[in-house]
Amino acid sequence: MATKAPGANRPFTSPIASLVVTVIALLWTVPTFGLLVTSFRKKEEIVSSGWWNSFTNPSFTFDNFRAVLFESGGTVGEQGMIPFAVNSLAITIPAVLLSVGFGLMAAYALAWIPFRFSDHVFYGLFALQGVPLQLSLLPLLTFFASGVQLFGHTIIPDLNIVGKLAAVWLPHTMFGLPLVIYLLHNFVSALPRELLEAARIDGANHFDVFRRIVLPLSLPAVASIAIFQFLWIWNDLLVALVFAGGTDDVAPLTLHLANLGGSLGSHWENVAPAALVSIIIPLIVFFSLQRYFVRGLLAGSVKS
């Protein structure tokens, strides 16, 4: 008679673990809920009392949303926040596609295309994660503005992209590639060798193997990393401020949010609704890719 292993019917969770998870979820949710309530309150109420007082004396208005979305002039801005949200999308989507696309191709090359010093290249890319982003801002800005010169001779001409969206795409791609390659390499290298070798025997070249086998099988991992890249780039202020120049035609939403608060951070009636609107698009991206995200987190955790 077969015997069950000890603890086979034991649940994975316990009341204490459930309580801890619930408390942590509340600690993360309460500030967001407070932001939601604050965005509907009047300015004089925001500066005089906490958001929780709205439940004892409810008084809500949509004027704050109308101001930050559509109002012109005054302390809110000349265009509202919609053009800046469009700028953020124009920055984030190409930067994510470039970093994840090139990262997956590099991960496949390092994992399945043998060449000399491939391990050294991989270790070097991994080590680049320890380089602070701030150290490369000035050299990159100089490269974009004036090119590369050696002993008075121009080796690489200036790219003439400072103040344009392309000047923000490239740094985000460069800064994101080391981590993207490292994570995707671990996933791609775990793909069945027999599957790739069978495709090669059937006459498929590396591009065919990548397009027909590696890319479809890597979609869960790609979606997971794309979510993190999207959140990082969407919430970035430093890179866009340095390379885009801060002009309104290319300024991201984060720069607009920083200006909405005023010099002393006194305009909470503007910041609260604008911040609430700014998190809607990342939430849409996350919930749209949630099923791939969960599969990407679990990929490789159990071997058959």
Side-chain angles (χ1 to χ4, degrees), residues 2-289:
T3 59
K4 294 183 178 180
N9 295 326
R10 190 174 300 169
F12 289 103
T13 60
S14 66
I16 297 178
S18 300
L19 178 61
V20 171
V21 171
T22 302
V23 171
I24 294 176
L26 287 175
L27 291 176
W28 279 94
T29 305
V30 168
T32 305
F33 182 73
L35 182 70
L36 173 64
V37 175
T38 302
S39 62
F40 289 100
R41 303 182 73 202
K42 297 179 180 179
K43 179 179 180 179
E44 55 271 15
E45 295 177 351
I46 294 175
V47 299
S48 62
S49 61
W51 60 267
W52 49 88
N53 292 307
S54 299
F55 299 102
T56 58
N57 185 21
S59 177
F60 301 108
T61 178
F62 286 95
D63 292 341
N64 298 335
F65 285 95
R66 189 180 303 110
V68 299
L69 288 174
F70 308 110
E71 186 172 311
S72 300
T75 59
V76 176
E78 297 180 357
Q79 310 176 62
M81 67 178 297
I82 294 180
F84 298 95
V86 174
N87 290 342
S88 288
L89 287 175
I91 291 172
T92 305
I93 294 177
V96 171
L97 293 177
L98 288 173
S99 59
V100 176
F102 285 119
L104 182 60
M105 288 187 285
Y108 170 72
L110 291 171
W112 294 105
I113 301 178
F115 60 92
R116 194 175 184 183
F117 303 121
S118 60
D119 291 338
H120 297 80
V121 173
F122 177 71
Y123 297 145
L125 289 172
F126 178 74
L128 287 176
Q129 299 180 58
V131 179
L133 180 150
Q134 292 80 1
L135 290 180
S136 56
L137 293 180
L138 183 57
L140 272 179
L141 186 62
T142 304
F143 169 59
F144 291 162
S146 58
V148 177
Q149 297 182 357
L150 184 63
F151 302 113
H153 299 281
T154 300
I155 306 299
I156 301 178
D158 64 279
L159 302 181
N160 194 26
I161 59 174
V162 176
K164 301 179 182 178
L165 292 176
V168 190
W169 300 339
L170 294 181
H172 278 307
T173 302
M174 296 174 187
F175 298 146
L177 274 177
L179 180 60
V180 171
I181 293 174
Y182 172 72
L183 296 177
L184 288 178
H185 176 273
N186 294 339
F187 184 89
V188 172
S189 61
L191 294 177
R193 177 179 294 273
E194 295 79 7
L195 184 62
L196 275 69
E197 289 179 348
R200 295 288 293 167
I201 292 175
D202 290 339
N205 55 33
H206 285 296
F207 178 75
D208 293 330
V209 172
F210 175 82
R211 180 171 57 91
R212 298 182 179 180
I213 299 178
V214 176
L215 182 57
L217 293 178
S218 302
L219 281 181
V222 168
S224 301
I225 297 174
I227 289 175
F228 287 113
Q229 281 292 102
F230 188 96
L231 295 177
W232 174 55
I233 299 173
W234 178 268
N235 294 318
D236 170 74
L237 174 62
L238 178 61
V239 174
L241 186 61
V242 171
F243 292 95
T247 57
D248 286 350
D249 54 338
V250 294
L253 186 58
T254 49
L255 179 60
H256 185 62
L257 290 177
N259 294 332
L260 281 179
S263 59
L264 300 177
S266 58
H267 297 288
W268 270 97
E269 75 280 5
N270 297 333
V271 176
L276 190 66
V277 172
S278 69
I279 67 175
I280 292 177
I281 293 180
L283 286 177
I284 294 174
V285 172
F286 176 79
F287 287 116
S288 300
L289 301 176

